[in-house]
Amino acid sequence: MSQFMFVSDLDHTLVGDDSALLDLNSRLQQHRQEYGTKIVYATGRSPLLYRELQQEKNLLQPDALVLSVGTEIYLDDSNIPDSQWSEILSPGWNRELVVNTATKFLELKPQPTSEQRPFKVSFFLEAEQSEKILPELETELQKCGLNIKLIYSSGIDLDIVPRSSDKGQAVQFLRQKWKFVAEKTIVCGDSGNDIALFAAGVERGIIVGNARPELLQWHNENPADYRYLAQNYCAGGILEGLQHFGFLE
Ligand code: GLC
Ligand code: MG
């Protein structure tokens, strides 16, 4: 056994099966103590919603937090987002212009204020309308010269973020900072905003058994032997995958 970098989405990936989570947490905690394994959460949640879940589920203290779909990185329990990362996201980003352009689309319903972040503008968009609206919205935003990316998850959540940002880019940033090779990095997810985790490089990947259709479809179109589709759900699927790759016994 040796140290590795563990990266996981929270909702419906790490969190969702309480007893499997207890088991996974105790093994990860022990691995961190013995080998210096790093634990990273990568979630779409804002700091506010992250703290709520952290308390509710008694999550382990992570070594780094990737919040707001990769637009904010917090290191060593800091309350201030990493400024190096914010600088990478700034060029070509104009929040006000994004909001003004997107609000012309009446199908887009704004998410709560807590989920509107400096580098993330979020809406609810019904799945039936998404196929028509997403390309139109992207064209409109590009016409304004905005350097953005649309991330659509779970048939409802739409995030508009800088092009240089997503969970996957944020993990590459951390991996390089901590000097972990892709072979010693494991990323876990269940939905659309996790595709970037799996697509950014050749990190070992675990797709939990309860994954959403958008992620499964992407996985089927982009198969790779360094990615494992688990049978078990949530933390149970993560445990299964960690054993498959030999990260845990
Ligand atoms: C979380 C966030 C939300 C985001 C979604 C998908 O639910 O709270 O703002 O749209 O993740 O990334
Ligand atoms: Mg999820």
Side-chain angles (χ1 to χ4, degrees):
M1 294 290 111
S2 61
Q3 89 176 153
F4 63 95
M5 178 169 156
F6 172 82
V7 181
S8 183
D9 167 53
L10 295 175
D11 295 278
H12 312 292
T13 303
L14 189 74
V15 174
D17 175 340
D18 289 345
S19 79
L21 178 58
L22 267 180
D23 187 8
L24 176 61
N25 273 351
S26 78
R27 291 184 194 218
L28 284 174
Q29 179 73 301
Q30 202 188 340
H31 217 273
R32 176 157 66 178
Q33 273 161 13
E34 254 175 71
Y35 303 101
T37 283
K38 298 272 192 195
I39 300 173
V40 178
Y41 301 145
T43 173
R45 289 181 179 237
S46 63
L48 182 83
L49 290 193
Y50 165 70
R51 277 194 296 275
E52 278 182 23
L53 188 70
Q54 205 266 328
Q55 279 161 19
E56 189 190 322
K57 297 293 175 186
N58 200 12
L59 301 177
L60 294 177
Q61 184 64 46
D63 297 284
L65 259 177
V66 172
L67 298 184
S68 309
V69 261
T71 61
E72 297 166 39
I73 297 178
Y74 297 84
L75 290 157
D76 307 318
D77 208 12
S78 166
N79 286 322
I80 302 159
D82 186 80
S83 61
Q84 232 183 316
W85 183 240
S86 310
E87 274 166 36
I88 294 173
L89 306 192
S90 296
W93 176 250
N94 180 336
R95 193 175 197 288
E96 209 185 328
L97 193 51
V98 171
V99 172
N100 290 343
T101 310
T103 41
K104 290 182 193 138
F105 288 79
L106 300 177
E107 296 83 356
L108 302 179
K109 308 282 179 238
Q111 288 192 11
T113 315
S114 71
E115 303 314 284
Q116 310 300 342
R117 304 293 299 164
F119 294 103
K120 168 175 172 286
V121 179
S122 294
F123 296 92
F124 296 120
L125 172 64
E126 296 298 333
E128 306 84 72
Q129 292 166 330
S130 66
E131 276 184 37
K132 175 174 177 284
I133 300 300
L134 291 176
E136 288 180 17
L137 174 64
E138 182 147 34
T139 308
E140 280 308 304
L141 291 165
Q142 274 166 0
K143 268 195 219 158
C144 306
L146 287 163
N147 207 8
I148 52 86
K149 176 185 298 182
L150 304 183
I151 304 178
Y152 188 56
S153 309
S154 314
I156 187 71
D157 292 321
L158 172 64
D159 303 313
I160 310 175
V161 300
R163 176 151 288 280
S164 47
S165 170
D166 53 41
K167 290 183 180 185
Q169 303 301 320
V171 166
Q172 300 299 317
F173 176 85
L174 285 173
R175 199 165 70 62
Q176 277 151 26
K177 190 177 195 69
W178 288 336
K179 302 193 167 52
F180 276 86
V181 295
E183 292 75 11
K184 288 282 176 193
T185 304
I186 187 110
V187 296
C188 316
D190 77 299
S191 84
N193 71 11
D194 301 316
I195 293 174
L197 281 178
F198 300 111
V202 295
E203 284 74 24
R204 302 303 173 247
I206 301 171
I207 297 179
V208 289
N210 53 295
R212 302 273 321 179
E214 73 258 15
L215 174 56
L216 292 175
Q217 186 189 336
W218 177 84
H219 171 64
N220 289 331
E221 289 165 1
N222 302 272
D225 58 7
Y226 48 82
R227 198 180 315 124
Y228 178 73
L229 178 57
Q231 305 239 313
N232 290 297
Y233 284 16
C234 305
I238 298 179
L239 272 168
E240 181 191 329
L242 288 171
Q243 282 157 350
H244 165 83
F245 287 115
F247 285 106
L248 288 183
E249 272 157 2

